[in-house]
């Protein structure tokens, strides 16, 4: 499990993730200096620490390095959420409490994510009968089209 990034580590990684290309200490420094006074050696040390922790890889370019993120911000956030959830003594209650804190937009993003990772029900191909099948005694009941799993769509539920 990754430890949460420190404030300056997060500021550096935010740029590396946003730019999504190899970056130099100088580029990160110049961008950070728009918000705060910071020394080149401080940024260089932070980026070296991020390399040592496995957050970025680096390749030499002349006398400097170019740094590239090893994973995405989404993967980092997911790892933090997973660690927090897995340390709970009641994971179901933790999820309910977490969902209760979500905005409507976050709940919709959650629904979208579940649709993406949930395997689709395979459509059964009807077998061609050799002779006509007798009519069923009772009409078939179609599967419920509601994919909410019984969850309420009311806000805060």
């Amino acid at each position: 499990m990754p430890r949460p990034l420190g404030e300056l580590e997060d500021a550096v990684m935010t740029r590396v993730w946003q730019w999504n290309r190899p970056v130099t200490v100088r580029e990160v420094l110049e961008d950070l200096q728009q918000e705060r006074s910071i020394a080149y050696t401080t940024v260089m040390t932070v980026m070296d620490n991020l390399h040592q922790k496995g957050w970025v890889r680096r390749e030499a370019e002349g006398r400097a390095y170019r740094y590239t993120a090893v994973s995405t911000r989404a993967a980092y956030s997911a790892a933090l959420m997973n660690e927090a959830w897995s340390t709970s003594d009641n994971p179901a209650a933790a999820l309910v409490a977490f969902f209760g804190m979500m905005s409507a937009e976050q709940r919709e993003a959650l629904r979208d994510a579940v649709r993406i990772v949930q395997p689709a029900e395979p459509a059964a191909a009807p077998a061609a009968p050799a002779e006509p099948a007798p009519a069923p005694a009772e009409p078939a009941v179609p599967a419920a089209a509601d994919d909410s799993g019984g969850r309420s769509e009311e806000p805060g539920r």
Side-chain angles (χ1 to χ4, degrees):
M1 159 57 197
R3 287 182 43 212
L5 295 170
E7 187 248 330
L8 190 51
E9 290 174 326
D10 186 71
V12 169
M13 283 306 301
T14 294
R15 282 147 180 87
V16 174
W17 282 319
Q18 285 176 341
W19 295 340
N20 196 27
R21 62 175 173 75
V23 300
T24 65
V25 171
R26 175 76 51 205
E27 290 173 309
V28 173
L29 169 73
E30 289 172 359
D31 200 59
L32 284 171
Q33 285 179 329
Q34 295 177 26
E35 300 172 359
R36 64 177 90 189
S37 175
I38 190 166
Y40 180 91
T41 53
T42 301
V43 177
M44 182 176 64
T45 299
V46 168
M47 293 184 82
D48 183 61
N49 290 344
L50 290 167
H51 175 255
Q52 297 300 322
K53 292 177 180 181
W55 287 106
V56 293
R57 72 177 63 89
R58 66 184 180 193
E59 292 185 28
E61 184 178 277
R63 294 178 45 204
Y65 288 108
R66 285 214 172 257
Y67 295 84
T68 307
V70 170
S71 66
T72 63
R73 162 118 24 222
Y76 166 69
S77 297
L80 290 178
M81 289 187 292
N82 186 56
E83 176 66 15
W85 182 55
S86 67
T87 61
S88 173
D89 61 348
N90 188 340
L95 284 174
V96 169
F98 179 64
F99 297 157
M101 295 176 192
M102 296 174 108
S103 68
E105 293 80 20
Q106 290 169 322
R107 285 192 304 276
E108 187 58 34
L110 177 63
R111 283 186 204 95
D112 291 344
V114 168
R115 281 192 214 70
I116 291 168
V117 299
Q118 192 173 40
E121 298 275 333
E131 55 188 70
E138 294 180 20
V141 178
D146 177 21
D147 70 345
S148 69
R151 294 180 306 275
S152 170
E153 295 295 325
E154 295 176 34
R157 297 236 178 199

